[in-house]
Amino acid sequence: MTGSEKLFQEAVTLIPGGVNSPVRAFGSVNMTPRFIASAEGAYLTDVDGNRYLDYIGSWGPMILGHANPLVLEKVEEACRKGLSFGAATEAEVDMARLICSMVPSVEMVRMVNSGTEAVMSAVRAARGYTGRDKIVKFEGCYHGHSDSMLVKAGSGVMTAGVPDSSGVPAGCTKDTLLAGYNDIASVEKLFDACGSEIAAVIIEPVGANMGVVLPEKGFLENLRRLCTENGTVLIFDEVITGFRLARAGAQEYFGIQADLTTYGKIIGGGMPVGAYGGKREIMEVVAPVGSVYQAGTLSGNPVAMAAGLAQLTYLNEYPGVYEQLQKMGELLYGGMRDMCEDLGLSCRVSFAGSLGCLFFTSEEVTDYRSAKASDTEAFCRYFRHMLEHGIYIAPSQFEAMFLCASHTEENIRYTLDTMHKYFEKQF
Ligand code: HOZ
């Protein structure tokens, strides 16, 4: 028995499913999760000493690679000064100033501890600001695990076979209206029916929790228009795309500004951090200025701020990182797309910059339904082959691949070669 197997055997007796977040249980690929002991650059090492080329990057935040020395140095320095004060610090002001300077639509920002918390709070702020209750979300978009968002959510919910979580009272989701990703007619229908009651439309500008699904031309622009016309707050959930697709995230990448934006782990450089921010007049409804309550002892934690500041400062000062990530994305995902064509595979590749995904379906993937049509058994076999050859991709068809600044052309050649060998044998 391997060290990972032994740990998992005990873990399932102590932690539900043996894990602290469902996707990492490897349930949808019928395997035992690897227990990770350490990470550096683009590599993970498990407790058995196996080394993996990592395409998850802690689900996005490790954009500069694992254990980045610049980030570590700042974290070590902050740790020596104290781990938590539950009081205002200079680092929080530095962080807010930096985020506001990098993202034009963010005039004020509030730090929280996760993407889930950021979304929950942004939705509350939008409701408080508009005095309306209803929100529109899109099938297959994942906005964390707060009650009102667990309706046809992506990520682990998609493989759990339960589109709506139990334990969520119907009253909590009665104001959550569902629309189809890339289906502007479905949004128009909702606005026609009750536009004056819709507080917010929330969307992942690139769907990155049902695999990777790109917005079709005009889709985000039309959402922007509908929200403006109806006095509805447009929330971009940039937990995955923020500071990844570009300095100002998807908003810069697609040239569209949101009213509120939610961020997650990437702004903590790997530490547990989230944030929500946007237009001053909306953010000023948040307590203690306004009447929308939201709080947290660990919000703006000094160690987390130090890590996040180090990472964001680097991204701000060296925008060449984004060109490099874009180039590597084209090399990897473009190479995958060519391979699919050359070998005549029933697969689709979709990508935006450093985010990408291989769908096991011949149909073009534009929404939840077409993503769901993927052959998850075929994904499972492919996943196993990749892991056995030292390549660690997300253990689910419905998650993204993430590139980081430490991935080299050689890494990508090895990855493409490993895929090619597998598919050659299969088809
Ligand atoms: N919600 C994450 C995937 N979209 C998984 C988080 C984790 O397991 O760490």
Side-chain angles (χ1 to χ4, degrees), residues 71-82:
V71 177
L72 288 188
E73 191 190 313
K74 295 292 179 188
V75 168
E76 280 165 11
E77 208 176 279
C79 281
R80 279 190 292 271
K81 294 181 184 162

Side-chain angles (χ1 to χ4, degrees), residues 20-25 58-59 142 154-156 208-209 240 265 398-400 402:
N20 283 311
S21 187
V23 179
R24 60 178 89 152
S58 190
W59 309 94
Y142 182 71
S155 190
N209 283 282
I240 303 292
K265 40 219 162 196
F398 305 115
E399 301 287 351
F402 297 86

Side-chain angles (χ1 to χ4, degrees), residues 61-187:
M62 312 321 296
I63 191 166
L64 299 180
H66 291 285
N68 182 287
L70 289 173
V71 177
L72 288 188
E73 191 190 313
K74 295 292 179 188
V75 168
E76 280 165 11
E77 208 176 279
C79 281
R80 279 190 292 271
K81 294 181 184 162
L83 298 182
S84 176
F85 312 131
T89 64
E90 187 174 351
E92 292 169 281
V93 185
D94 293 342
M95 181 61 124
R97 191 189 311 111
L98 183 58
I99 293 174
C100 292
S101 75
M102 289 175 82
V103 189
S105 70
V106 176
E107 294 169 348
M108 288 189 112
V109 63
R110 171 59 71 80
M111 304 308 297
V112 290
N113 300 291
S114 69
T116 292
E117 215 186 307
V119 166
M120 195 177 75
S121 312
V123 166
R124 188 177 301 152
R127 283 175 161 153
Y129 173 71
T130 57
R132 305 171 181 178
D133 288 343
K134 295 193 192 306
I135 47 172
V136 175
K137 87 168 277 291
F138 293 84
E139 289 181 342
C141 282
Y142 182 71
H143 302 292
H145 62 90
S146 65
D147 285 348
S148 66
M149 289 294 131
L150 282 179
V151 185
K152 278 269 174 77
S155 190
V157 189
M158 243 169 125
T159 41
V162 278
D164 305 321
S165 168
S166 62
V168 176
C172 291
T173 53
K174 80 170 179 18
D175 289 315
T176 306
L177 310 176
L178 265 188
Y181 197 87
N182 277 327
D183 180 0
I184 199 67
S186 68
V187 188

Side-chain angles (χ1 to χ4, degrees), residues 388-416:
E388 278 165 3
H389 288 80
I391 297 173
Y392 191 84
I393 54 176
S396 163
Q397 169 70 93
F398 305 115
E399 301 287 351
M401 283 176 87
F402 297 86
L403 282 164
C404 74
S406 305
H407 284 110
T408 62
E409 291 191 18
E410 198 189 329
N411 289 153
I412 289 179
R413 270 195 298 276
Y414 172 71
T415 305
L416 288 171

Side-chain angles (χ1 to χ4, degrees), residues 213-234:
V213 179
L214 301 187
E216 285 169 357
K217 210 169 163 17
F219 178 60
L220 297 175
E221 288 81 350
N222 276 321
L223 282 186
R224 178 63 276 176
R225 176 184 55 76
L226 282 171
C227 286
T228 305
E229 285 170 4
N230 288 276
T232 295
V233 176
L234 177 61

